[in-house]
Amino acid sequence: MPAPSSSEEFIVYYGTVIHSLAPTDLEINENAVLVVNVAIGTIVVFERNVEKLNEFLSTVNVLQNKHYTVNALSRTQFILPGFIDTHAHAPQFSFAATGMDLPLLQWLDKYTFPKESEFSDLEHAQNVYSKVIDRFLHSGTTTCSWFATIHLEACKLFTDIIERKGQRAYIGKVNMDQNSPDYYIEQTESSVNDTRTFIEYVKAKNNNLLTPIVTPRFAISCTSTLLKALGDLAKEHDVPIQSHLCENLAEIDFTMELFPDSANYTAVYDDHGLLNDRTIMAHCVHMSEEELQLLKSREAGVAHCPNSNFALQSGVCDIKKYMERDIKCGLGSDLAGGFATSILDAMRSAFIASNTTGIIKSQYENNGDQYKALDAKELIYLATLGGAKVVGMEDKIGNFKVGKDFDALVCDASDDTSVRLFRHDTPWDMLQKFIFMADERCLAHVYVKGRRVAGWKQ
């Protein structure tokens, strides 16, 4: 299924199309037709239950007297929306899957800060950033909310690389002006000025796939003066915000020592103008009732990163509770606190975390009978439409409603992949096997806004 040439105006996909409309509303459409306007990368037709393809296409007004190509999926293929990673650290790809022996704060000091400080070297930044974007695209991540480093020039370079490779991205220059090592820290004024310069650099590209995002690393690493200035910058330039929240108990205690005038950790961000409907807060493992209410009232989103929460011994986040309260929730790899780059792994880790929550409630809280763990429908939702809501792009991506951009995965469950299908398997069975057994070989084609950007098939 090659990408259409520049002379082709429309491409028609015919076969099984799967997408979410809500956490428990998953559509599995066999014999569906998706028509994509290649020039602008958007979906112009989505029709279900088409038995006679040619007859149907002859009635589609947008295709009349136009050139189009038909890509018919096999029985072992289906289309999903592109995966959305709501939280990842690009420079940490350089040491991913190593140094997993410490909890969060010690891990940052021993591994993260030394490695991130190396990105003042642009040759090193070029090497790592090129490889991490390739890896994420091949893993099916069509949209990612990225943390970079404090280095302005390396952040610009990162932006250029993402643009060239075609991923949809939020890109954040990290801010740190306290409680950081001497070799990796900013002065408050330069941090603010560099952030402003970076926002203007990304916006000047006029590329609707790229968005600058204000990125205080976490409250511990930022003075009150810097946090307030970043809140003002986000408002002035109308850009989103991302940070970490309630990931680790020691982190929470230290934060409250630094900001005793705030009611709680979540309120620290709110008090500095950093908590609103365009805010993404990663982790949120240890949230009080008051904090959940504040998060909900501000319409902020949660990036659930279960792999990292297990690996760094932070705790188990009951993301189902947040979803039931209609808090926006998506999945994050949290590379390299999380050791995997794929949102497939995040789905599996979220499943394990949710089942673990049920076990804890059953064994220690005597209310396990009332708890229902995440199922496959909810996992797909978190990886796609849920993530789109967290990053504020549900009007553009997340499912295949007409008018949205074609960010999509052509998934392959044939025998030369890690998935095995048998004659009794329905499309629903195929999807479940894909969630729990697939790897990158199952991602035949990866599209962002109608452009093929990765995939394992020629």
Side-chain angles (χ1 to χ4, degrees):
M1 187 181 297
S5 71
S6 59
S7 63
E8 295 171 336
E9 297 181 24
F10 295 91
I11 188 165
V12 177
Y13 299 89
Y14 180 57
T16 299
V17 176
I18 302 173
H19 70 163
S20 289
L21 299 177
T24 58
D25 187 0
L26 181 74
E27 280 195 349
I28 300 178
N29 303 288
E30 298 181 72
N31 301 319
V33 173
L34 277 173
V35 180
V36 178
N37 183 327
V38 176
I40 58 176
T42 61
I43 300 163
V44 294
V45 175
F46 181 20
E47 187 71 20
R48 300 156 178 83
N49 302 315
V50 176
E51 296 294 340
K52 298 180 179 179
L53 178 61
N54 291 333
E55 182 178 312
F56 170 75
L57 294 178
S58 69
T59 69
V60 177
N61 290 334
V62 73
L63 295 179
Q64 302 312 303
N65 302 313
K66 299 289 177 58
H67 183 74
Y68 62 87
T69 298
V70 176
N71 282 336
L73 306 181
S74 72
R75 189 188 72 85
T76 62
Q77 292 181 319
F78 59 97
I79 295 181
L80 278 177
F83 293 146
I84 299 169
D85 191 331
T86 60
H87 182 70
H89 294 261
Q92 294 178 20
F93 187 61
S94 67
F95 69 100
T98 66
M100 308 301 294
D101 57 318
L102 295 171
L104 176 66
L105 297 182
Q106 295 94 316
W107 177 79
L108 289 170
D109 287 335
K110 183 174 180 180
Y111 300 110
T112 302
F113 295 155
K115 294 300 183 183
E116 287 193 10
S117 70
E118 297 175 6
F119 281 72
S120 58
D121 179 347
L122 293 184
E123 184 177 353
H124 177 64
Q126 171 77 39
N127 180 38
V128 175
Y129 284 153
S130 295
K131 290 176 179 177
V132 72
I133 297 301
D134 284 343
R135 179 71 177 200
F136 271 62
L137 286 173
H138 279 288
S139 298
T141 298
T142 54
T143 298
C144 189
S145 189
W146 291 109
F147 280 57
T149 66
I150 66 174
H151 309 103
L152 175 59
E153 294 307 314
C155 290
K156 291 179 179 179
L157 176 64
F158 184 39
T159 303
D160 296 342
I161 292 169
I162 296 172
E163 182 175 40
R164 185 170 67 251
K165 293 182 180 291
Q167 189 181 53
R168 189 186 302 270
Y170 279 0
I171 311 163
K173 190 208 81 67
V174 170
N175 301 102
M176 303 163 56
D177 72 337
Q178 70 169 359
N179 295 313
S180 304
D182 291 341
Y183 59 82
Y184 191 51
I185 193 170
E186 304 172 289
Q187 296 299 312
T188 305
E189 183 177 2
S190 63
S191 182
V192 175
N193 290 338
D194 283 355
T195 301
R196 179 182 293 106
T197 300
F198 179 68
I199 290 171
E200 293 169 349
Y201 180 81
V202 179
K203 285 193 165 187
K205 287 180 172 290
N206 198 29
N207 183 333
N208 60 17
L209 295 181
L210 305 178
T211 304
I213 183 168
V214 167
T215 306
R217 179 173 219 110
F218 56 173
I220 289 173
S221 70
C222 299
T223 61
S224 183
T225 300
L226 178 56
L227 290 176
K228 178 63 169 61
L230 293 175
D232 292 342
L233 269 181
K235 184 176 181 180
E236 174 189 349
H237 291 276
D238 189 26
V239 295
I241 299 158
Q242 64 180 351
S243 194
H244 299 82
L245 175 63
C246 293
E247 179 179 358
N248 170 284
L249 292 174
E251 167 211 8
I252 296 170
D253 290 343
F254 190 14
T255 300
M256 296 319 300
E257 290 177 12
L258 296 170
F259 299 92
D261 293 336
S262 293
N264 50 56
Y265 193 171
T266 307
V268 172
Y269 293 112
D270 192 49
D271 293 343
H272 292 87
L274 290 164
L275 198 67
N276 58 44
D277 62 352
R278 302 192 70 190
T279 298
I280 305 168
M281 284 296 168
H283 304 294
C284 300
V285 178
H286 306 283
M287 299 283 284
S288 67
E289 184 61 33
E290 292 75 19
E291 287 177 291
L292 286 178
Q293 291 177 6
L294 179 56
L295 202 70
K296 168 68 175 173
S297 69
R298 297 294 185 263
E299 301 182 64
V302 173
H304 179 39
C305 308
N307 183 311
S308 173
N309 297 157
F310 284 126
L312 297 182
Q313 309 162 49
S314 296
V316 183
C317 178
D318 184 3
I319 200 66
K320 188 70 176 279
K321 177 172 68 175
Y322 303 172
M323 294 171 68
E324 290 171 347
R325 294 173 184 230
D326 201 28
I327 294 171
K328 296 181 295 188
C329 298
L331 296 176
S333 61
D334 192 30
L335 185 77
F339 47 78
T341 59
S342 175
I343 290 298
L344 281 169
D345 171 86
M347 283 192 270
R348 295 162 191 165
S349 296
F351 173 75
I352 296 298
S354 189
N355 276 298
T356 300
T357 299
I359 293 169
I360 292 171
K361 289 180 179 295
S362 178
Q363 294 185 354
Y364 302 103
E365 299 177 12
N366 298 317
N367 63 350
D369 292 342
Q370 287 76 45
Y371 185 83
K372 187 176 184 303
L374 292 171
D375 61 21
K377 293 180 181 179
E378 292 165 312
L379 295 174
I380 291 292
Y381 170 83
L382 286 169
T384 57
L385 185 58
K389 291 183 177 181
V390 169
V391 298
M393 297 186 194
E394 66 270 28
D395 61 331
K396 293 182 179 179
I397 57 174
N399 60 22
F400 295 126
K401 288 187 176 181
V402 171
K404 290 192 176 186
D405 288 351
F406 187 66
D407 286 18
L409 312 175
V410 177
C411 305
D412 185 9
S414 57
D415 280 351
D416 59 349
T417 71
S418 56
V419 178
R420 290 294 180 270
L421 298 180
F422 298 92
R423 64 184 184 182
H424 61 268
D425 284 322
T426 65
W428 169 236
D429 297 328
M430 179 167 58
L431 177 65
Q432 292 176 86
K433 287 186 174 184
F434 173 81
I435 292 172
F436 292 107
M437 298 174 67
D439 58 27
E440 293 179 6
R441 291 170 293 171
C442 299
L443 300 176
H445 307 282
V446 180
Y447 294 93
V448 176
K449 200 173 174 61
R451 172 192 172 193
R452 187 181 188 274
V453 293
W456 287 79
K457 296 289 186 181
Q458 297 299 319

